[in-house]
Amino acid sequence: MSQSLSFVIPFTPASAADASRFAHNLAARGTEVILAGEGPVDAPSRPHVHVLSGLSGKGAAIRAALGRVTGDITVLQDADAAYSLEACEALCRPIREDAADAVFGTRRVPKLDAEQLADKALGHITRFVTDVSLEDPLCGQRAFRTEALKSVSLTSDDESVDAEIVVKLSAQLYRLAEVPVTLDAAPRRPLGAQLARLRTLMRYATVQNDADNQHEGYTTLERMDGANNYNAWLGQRFRERLGRRVLEIGAGIGTITEKLEPGLELLIALEVDRFYVDRLKNKFRGRPHVRPYLSDVALADWESLKAERLDTIVLSNVLEHIPDDASAVRRFRQILPVGGKVVVLVPALPQLFGSIDEAVGHHRRYTPESLRQVLEGNGFEVDTLEWMNLMGIPGWFMNSRVMRRRSVPKLQLKVYDRIAPLLAKAESQVKLPVGMSLFAVARATGGAG
C-alpha cells in the first residue's frame, strides 16, 4: 500500500519567503503541506495546504502542525534555501521499506564555516546524550513515520525542539537512520538557536531524563542502556547458558533483550509496565521472533506460556523486584521441562541496599545462601552460583548509601563502562570472594512445585 506524505514547514518572518517557495513547489505535486509560524506567508490556495499563524517559536509551530498532519510519513523541512526538496524521496525510502521510523539527512556542504562547525560540535554532544550513532542528528531535513513522531511528547517552544526530537525518539527506541543530502550552501542558524539546543541537551544530560522525570527508575534503566561494554559482558554471560526458546522476565527497555535475541527461535519479553512495553515494540519492530508481552508475573497466562515449549527463563536484575520471589520461581518451574534452565542475575549484599534500590523498586539484595534457598526450595537445582562485579561495590555504596542519590550519575557510568571489558576478562580468570551481583544457573528438577 502506498504511504501518503505530509510536509511540515515551520517559518519565521525572516524565512517566510523560503517557506512559501517550498509550499508552492509541493502544492503543485498534490502533497499535503502545513506551514506554521509567525508572520505573513504567501501560501498557495489549495485544499491540502494549511497555514497556522501566530505561533512564536519552532517547537510551538511543530506541535501545532502535527495536529493537522494526515499523511503516513511526515517530513520536517526547515525553511532554508540551502535545502533541496529533491532529497526527500531518499529520506522517505527507508520508512516506506519499514527499515526505519525516522530518517535524518546528513548534510554535505561545499565549505564548512563557523556555523557548520558549531552544528558539528552540537552533533557530538547529541550523540553523547542520546547514544545514537547519527552523524548529523540536528539536520533541518528529516522524515518520520507519522505515528512515531506524534507519539513523543514535545515540550520545547523554540529551536531546541530539534534536540528534543532526537532525545525522545531515541529514548523510545525507535529505529533511526540517515541518508546523505547535498546542499548548495550552508544553512543559516542564529547563535540563539544553537544556544537553545545546547541548553536542552545539557538539561537532558544532567537533571532531566527523556521521559521528563515523570517515571522514577527509568533514569537508571536508560543510563544503563548506554553502558555498552557492561551490557555486552552481561549478554555474553547469559548467552552461554541459553537454549533456543527463551522467556525473559522483566525486559525493561530491552537492554539485555537485544543481547539475547541473535540466533534464538523465540524470545518472549515479559514486562509489567506499558511504558516499557511500548519501547520494546518499537525496538523490535520487524523481528517477529521477539514478542513483547505486557503482564505482571503473578497475572501472566502461564498455561499459554507453557505451550510455547520454552527451555530457558532469564531474569537480569528482576527477581529482586518481585515481592514473593519464591512463588515466582515455583511458576517458572511449572512451565519448564525437566532440565530446563533459569538463568538469574541479582543484586547482592544487603549492606548495599540504599536510595537507588528504592528508586528502581528493589525489595531486597541477595546473599549466596538466600538465592540458593529460593531456587532450590522451589523446584530447581543450582549448577552455577558466582559473584560478579567486585569493582562496582564502592561506586554503588557511595551513590546509594552515602550520597542518597536516586540514580547512577551518567558520567560515572560512562567511565565505569570504559573499564568493563578489563573487569570481564579479569573475572573470567579469577574466582571472586565477593561482588555487587550474583549470577546463577539452575536446572528444573523432576519434582514440579
Side-chain angles (χ1 to χ4, degrees), residues 127-155:
R127 287 191 291 276
F128 175 82
V129 172
T130 63
D131 293 307
V132 300
S133 58
L134 300 173
E135 182 181 337
D136 191 7
L138 300 177
C139 178
Q141 199 168 42
R142 299 149 290 175
F144 306 87
R145 190 163 56 83
T146 300
E147 181 185 5
L149 184 57
K150 286 185 175 184
S151 76
V152 299
S153 174
L154 300 176
T155 61

Side-chain angles (χ1 to χ4, degrees), residues 46-107:
R46 301 287 181 87
H48 52 275
V49 176
H50 310 283
V51 178
L52 306 179
S53 58
L55 298 165
S56 179
K58 187 175 185 178
I62 289 173
R63 282 202 308 276
L66 287 176
R68 301 292 294 272
V69 166
T70 63
D72 301 306
I73 298 173
T74 298
V75 174
L76 287 186
Q77 175 67 62
D78 278 5
D80 191 312
Y83 291 104
S84 167
L85 294 177
E86 303 313 312
C88 292
E89 179 55 37
L91 281 172
C92 295
R93 189 174 300 119
I95 299 174
R96 295 190 190 282
E97 295 173 351
D98 198 22
D101 301 300
V103 183
F104 293 73
T106 303
R107 289 169 287 187

Side-chain angles (χ1 to χ4, degrees), residues 174-192:
Y174 283 111
R175 301 163 301 165
L176 310 185
E178 57 189 343
V179 299
V181 294
T182 301
L183 279 63
D184 295 329
R188 303 290 86 182
R189 199 171 300 279
L191 177 61

Side-chain angles (χ1 to χ4, degrees), residues 297-310:
V297 169
L299 301 176
D301 185 345
W302 291 100
E303 286 303 313
S304 294
L305 288 171
K306 185 174 183 178
E308 297 287 357
R309 299 179 290 111
L310 301 164

Side-chain angles (χ1 to χ4, degrees), residues 151-162:
S151 76
V152 299
S153 174
L154 300 176
T155 61
S156 300
D157 287 333
D158 55 14
E159 293 269 354
S160 61
V161 70
D162 292 327

